[in-house]
Amino acid sequence: MSADLKRDVLGYITRAAADPEWGLALREPMGLRIHAYQRAEIPHLDAFCGDADAKSLLQVPSVPVGLFKEGLNFCAGPSGRVFRTSGTTQGRRGEHHMPDTQVYELAARLWWQACVPDCPTRVVSLVPNPAQAPDSSLGHMVHDFGSATLSYFDMERGVDHDGAWQALLAVQQPVFVAATAFSMASLLEQGPSLSLPQGSVCMVTGGFKGRKVSLSSKDLLEQIPERLGTPVVEEYGMSELSSQLWGRPETTGAGRFHAPPWMLVYTVDPATGQPCTGTGLLRFVDLANWGSCLSIETQDLGEVDGQWVTLKGRLKASPHRGCSLSAEEAGQWRP
Amino acid sequence: METLDALRALDPSAWDTGLSPQGARRAWQESIDALERGLTAPPEVPPTQNPGRLWIWCAANVFTAPLPWLMLAKLARLPVVLKAPSARPDSVAAIAKVFDAQLVTSSAEGLKRIGSQDRVLGFGGDASMAELASSLPQGLRRSLHGHRVSFAVIHQPTPEIARALALDAALYDGQGCMSPAAVFCLNRPEELAQDIATELERLSIEMPRGPLPEHLGPLWRERVGLARILGQCHGERSWAVPLLPASRAQALVLPRMLPVHPIDDVSELQPLAELPLSTLATDGPSLDLPFTRVTKPGAMQRPALSTVHEGVDLVRRLMV
């Protein structure tokens, strides 16, 4: 059953990338098939779903990302790979176990190629190197995109500024520069301005997560074309998902991202968890998560217009509860 | 008694308390009843011999919190200034009128007006108390109270204990440091969880929960989900009793959610000592843990009129 489903998901994603309308039309039945499989094969997920009897993808119980920090394994069958959250905002790191990375890699690559057409595959990477951080989904994705990847990020020391600038100054052919917002801001704090070969593209993902940098996100996105001579595309992804959303050079800075046709995005009222219109908490039904959790509830606010998502920031804690411990403080304590 | 009558005449459901109208009225009534009981044999409060006023810096959560301190200050004949939380000033404003206390709604204005003979009693989050402490003139008499968390430990559950704990969880919808974050149970935890659930369901009709703050929604769903995976969960939307291993206990209070954690021995509770503890409710002996108050179940949110708060005699420190 597992092999059949995986084969069919690979086929579905391949065709949906080429024919998004077809992908959207088939998303519902394929998603419900995955949901039934997950309930049968993942005891934790089946217990989480309880009595729910989903007749549509909107009714599939959505797993809050916080549950991935509880050390639970939501994997159909043996865990072949685990991706972990960075853990910079809270002590515990979330864990996303998956049977293998074949579907993850296909989904990531096809949607990247669709959203960033003709993107170079020579990569200058300022994200974690898979050899050093095999549990980084971002590092895995970027490495998988490249035919040749030069890595200038060290898990202990951060960005290798000298090495990265030397590499960027030396390139003769178009490159794909992959960076987190923090590592790119750190790089731009020093070094020259240059013009990378035409056809180069710079990817920026993530926020600063409370770390101090001299540039704002907006300034950073404006500076990259000036300093590196390349267009910028933003990427939105998380360890708990197997698919990513991409911005377009023309939407850079607007927080607008395009979801692949094999992903349903919708918003819910943060308090009740009921689907809502307008700004709400984002939920992603990602069919590329075929072997783990189909539906994920994030802590990000946004608006959804078909396959386009506009991010509106993170759900913030209210100060009203006074002398009770805050969620952040309480989350740190464990008996 | 005139003061109590004047308090009883107020309708707290008109104020922004974060509670349902029924919840606000019940909390108000319980609080005034506690004052009345306390005044039948009031604590000894000598009239103050010193000039100056008592400033009470009120938190934005438990709207009845200033009442006992206002009553004690009245016994001490000490003038009071109430600093209302800017987010929810209306309950404090109404209470100030009854006690003939001055009212200030801006922190900046309050800090400007504090005199060298004044004293400050503050309640709130750790960050706001730290900020207040650093803003007050050096040497000023003060007692500032930040984050605390409370628990219940039950040895022999009964339906009465379950009903009492459900009331502890329902009053104030988990706001404030005297709300139980969890119940640790040594015997028949499933039975206790079931009985608490039955009572929380009844209370959800008699005294519905106020609106759930948005940021607590995902945490609520997480806890319910975790209980379904690793234990059992009674209820789902407007109240819940997750039954979870003690290793999954949290110091976080969610409105009308009362987790029950089975334990074999109270020695398992030693890690609680790492937390800033407030109230322990128990049907057994007290524990060798730094709780500042020990009560019977059902009395967590209904403190008796006392001069002591979190181990500090506030009358001695601030009112004489």
PDB file of all heavy atoms in Angstrom, chain B residues 233-245:
ATOM      1  N   CYS B 233      -8.710  12.574  26.537  1.00  0.00           N
ATOM      2  CA  CYS B 233      -9.151  13.959  26.733  1.00  0.00           C
ATOM      3  C   CYS B 233     -10.667  14.021  26.855  1.00  0.00           C
ATOM      4  O   CYS B 233     -11.381  13.589  25.943  1.00  0.00           O
ATOM      5  CB  CYS B 233      -8.668  14.849  25.583  1.00  0.00           C
ATOM      6  SG  CYS B 233      -8.897  16.592  25.963  1.00  0.00           S
ATOM      7  N   HIS B 234     -11.139  14.532  27.975  1.00  0.00           N
ATOM      8  CA  HIS B 234     -12.570  14.828  28.122  1.00  0.00           C
ATOM      9  C   HIS B 234     -12.781  16.243  27.623  1.00  0.00           C
ATOM     10  O   HIS B 234     -11.986  17.132  27.923  1.00  0.00           O
ATOM     11  CB  HIS B 234     -12.994  14.748  29.584  1.00  0.00           C
ATOM     12  CG  HIS B 234     -12.795  13.402  30.192  1.00  0.00           C
ATOM     13  ND1 HIS B 234     -13.673  12.353  30.001  1.00  0.00           N
ATOM     14  CD2 HIS B 234     -11.816  12.914  30.997  1.00  0.00           C
ATOM     15  CE1 HIS B 234     -13.246  11.291  30.657  1.00  0.00           C
ATOM     16  NE2 HIS B 234     -12.123  11.602  31.273  1.00  0.00           N
ATOM     17  N   GLY B 235     -13.902  16.458  26.918  1.00  0.00           N
ATOM     18  CA  GLY B 235     -14.199  17.806  26.434  1.00  0.00           C
ATOM     19  C   GLY B 235     -13.330  18.155  25.256  1.00  0.00           C
ATOM     20  O   GLY B 235     -12.449  17.394  24.862  1.00  0.00           O
ATOM     21  N   GLU B 236     -13.622  19.319  24.637  1.00  0.00           N
ATOM     22  CA  GLU B 236     -12.787  19.722  23.522  1.00  0.00           C
ATOM     23  C   GLU B 236     -12.731  21.226  23.342  1.00  0.00           C
ATOM     24  O   GLU B 236     -11.660  21.808  23.379  1.00  0.00           O
ATOM     25  CB  GLU B 236     -13.257  19.082  22.219  1.00  0.00           C
ATOM     26  CG  GLU B 236     -12.358  19.446  21.052  1.00  0.00           C
ATOM     27  CD  GLU B 236     -12.768  18.816  19.740  1.00  0.00           C
ATOM     28  OE1 GLU B 236     -13.693  17.981  19.750  1.00  0.00           O
ATOM     29  OE2 GLU B 236     -12.178  19.175  18.713  1.00  0.00           O
ATOM     30  N   ARG B 237     -13.885  21.873  23.188  1.00  0.00           N
ATOM     31  CA  ARG B 237     -13.856  23.264  22.754  1.00  0.00           C
ATOM     32  C   ARG B 237     -13.938  24.282  23.894  1.00  0.00           C
ATOM     33  O   ARG B 237     -13.081  25.148  24.014  1.00  0.00           O
ATOM     34  CB  ARG B 237     -14.975  23.545  21.753  1.00  0.00           C
ATOM     35  CG  ARG B 237     -14.687  22.894  20.418  1.00  0.00           C
ATOM     36  CD  ARG B 237     -15.832  23.079  19.446  1.00  0.00           C
ATOM     37  NE  ARG B 237     -15.646  22.230  18.288  1.00  0.00           N
ATOM     38  CZ  ARG B 237     -14.949  22.587  17.219  1.00  0.00           C
ATOM     39  NH1 ARG B 237     -14.391  23.759  17.151  1.00  0.00           N
ATOM     40  NH2 ARG B 237     -14.834  21.755  16.193  1.00  0.00           N
ATOM     41  N   SER B 238     -14.957  24.229  24.720  1.00  0.00           N
ATOM     42  CA  SER B 238     -15.124  25.290  25.723  1.00  0.00           C
ATOM     43  C   SER B 238     -14.594  24.897  27.091  1.00  0.00           C
ATOM     44  O   SER B 238     -14.510  25.720  27.984  1.00  0.00           O
ATOM     45  CB  SER B 238     -16.598  25.688  25.822  1.00  0.00           C
ATOM     46  OG  SER B 238     -17.366  24.568  26.181  1.00  0.00           O
ATOM     47  N   TRP B 239     -14.255  23.643  27.254  1.00  0.00           N
ATOM     48  CA  TRP B 239     -13.602  23.160  28.470  1.00  0.00           C
ATOM     49  C   TRP B 239     -12.914  21.857  28.114  1.00  0.00           C
ATOM     50  O   TRP B 239     -13.266  21.213  27.114  1.00  0.00           O
ATOM     51  CB  TRP B 239     -14.609  22.947  29.617  1.00  0.00           C
ATOM     52  CG  TRP B 239     -15.661  21.927  29.292  1.00  0.00           C
ATOM     53  CD1 TRP B 239     -16.863  22.163  28.668  1.00  0.00           C
ATOM     54  CD2 TRP B 239     -15.587  20.504  29.484  1.00  0.00           C
ATOM     55  NE1 TRP B 239     -17.537  20.983  28.468  1.00  0.00           N
ATOM     56  CE2 TRP B 239     -16.777  19.948  28.970  1.00  0.00           C
ATOM     57  CE3 TRP B 239     -14.643  19.660  30.046  1.00  0.00           C
ATOM     58  CZ2 TRP B 239     -17.043  18.581  28.993  1.00  0.00           C
ATOM     59  CZ3 TRP B 239     -14.901  18.285  30.078  1.00  0.00           C
ATOM     60  CH2 TRP B 239     -16.102  17.771  29.552  1.00  0.00           C
ATOM     61  N   ALA B 240     -11.924  21.475  28.907  1.00  0.00           N
ATOM     62  CA  ALA B 240     -11.237  20.210  28.615  1.00  0.00           C
ATOM     63  C   ALA B 240     -10.515  19.709  29.855  1.00  0.00           C
ATOM     64  O   ALA B 240     -10.029  20.493  30.669  1.00  0.00           O
ATOM     65  CB  ALA B 240     -10.237  20.381  27.469  1.00  0.00           C
ATOM     66  N   VAL B 241     -10.478  18.389  29.977  1.00  0.00           N
ATOM     67  CA  VAL B 241      -9.696  17.742  31.042  1.00  0.00           C
ATOM     68  C   VAL B 241      -8.786  16.710  30.368  1.00  0.00           C
ATOM     69  O   VAL B 241      -9.178  15.568  30.154  1.00  0.00           O
ATOM     70  CB  VAL B 241     -10.600  17.052  32.083  1.00  0.00           C
ATOM     71  CG1 VAL B 241      -9.746  16.494  33.228  1.00  0.00           C
ATOM     72  CG2 VAL B 241     -11.629  18.028  32.634  1.00  0.00           C
ATOM     73  N   PRO B 242      -7.559  17.117  30.011  1.00  0.00           N
ATOM     74  CA  PRO B 242      -6.631  16.147  29.442  1.00  0.00           C
ATOM     75  C   PRO B 242      -6.048  15.269  30.546  1.00  0.00           C
ATOM     76  O   PRO B 242      -5.682  15.775  31.604  1.00  0.00           O
ATOM     77  CB  PRO B 242      -5.521  17.024  28.831  1.00  0.00           C
ATOM     78  CG  PRO B 242      -6.004  18.445  28.926  1.00  0.00           C
ATOM     79  CD  PRO B 242      -7.006  18.470  30.030  1.00  0.00           C
ATOM     80  N   LEU B 243      -6.006  13.982  30.306  1.00  0.00           N
ATOM     81  CA  LEU B 243      -5.364  13.046  31.238  1.00  0.00           C
ATOM     82  C   LEU B 243      -4.051  12.645  30.570  1.00  0.00           C
ATOM     83  O   LEU B 243      -4.045  11.963  29.546  1.00  0.00           O
ATOM     84  CB  LEU B 243      -6.275  11.839  31.445  1.00  0.00           C
ATOM     85  CG  LEU B 243      -5.817  10.771  32.420  1.00  0.00           C
ATOM     86  CD1 LEU B 243      -5.732  11.323  33.846  1.00  0.00           C
ATOM     87  CD2 LEU B 243      -6.776   9.574  32.407  1.00  0.00           C
ATOM     88  N   LEU B 244      -2.956  13.096  31.147  1.00  0.00           N
ATOM     89  CA  LEU B 244      -1.648  12.940  30.496  1.00  0.00           C
ATOM     90  C   LEU B 244      -0.600  12.482  31.505  1.00  0.00           C
ATOM     91  O   LEU B 244      -0.700  12.810  32.692  1.00  0.00           O
ATOM     92  CB  LEU B 244      -1.195  14.304  29.934  1.00  0.00           C
ATOM     93  CG  LEU B 244      -1.708  14.712  28.561  1.00  0.00           C
ATOM     94  CD1 LEU B 244      -1.489  16.198  28.323  1.00  0.00           C
ATOM     95  CD2 LEU B 244      -1.003  13.902  27.475  1.00  0.00           C
ATOM     96  N   PRO B 245       0.438  11.788  31.050  1.00  0.00           N
ATOM     97  CA  PRO B 245       1.520  11.428  31.969  1.00  0.00           C
ATOM     98  C   PRO B 245       2.116  12.682  32.624  1.00  0.00           C
ATOM     99  O   PRO B 245       2.146  13.755  32.007  1.00  0.00           O
ATOM    100  CB  PRO B 245       2.563  10.774  31.057  1.00  0.00           C
ATOM    101  CG  PRO B 245       1.828  10.366  29.836  1.00  0.00           C
ATOM    102  CD  PRO B 245       0.684  11.311  29.685  1.00  0.00           C
TER     103      PRO B 245
END
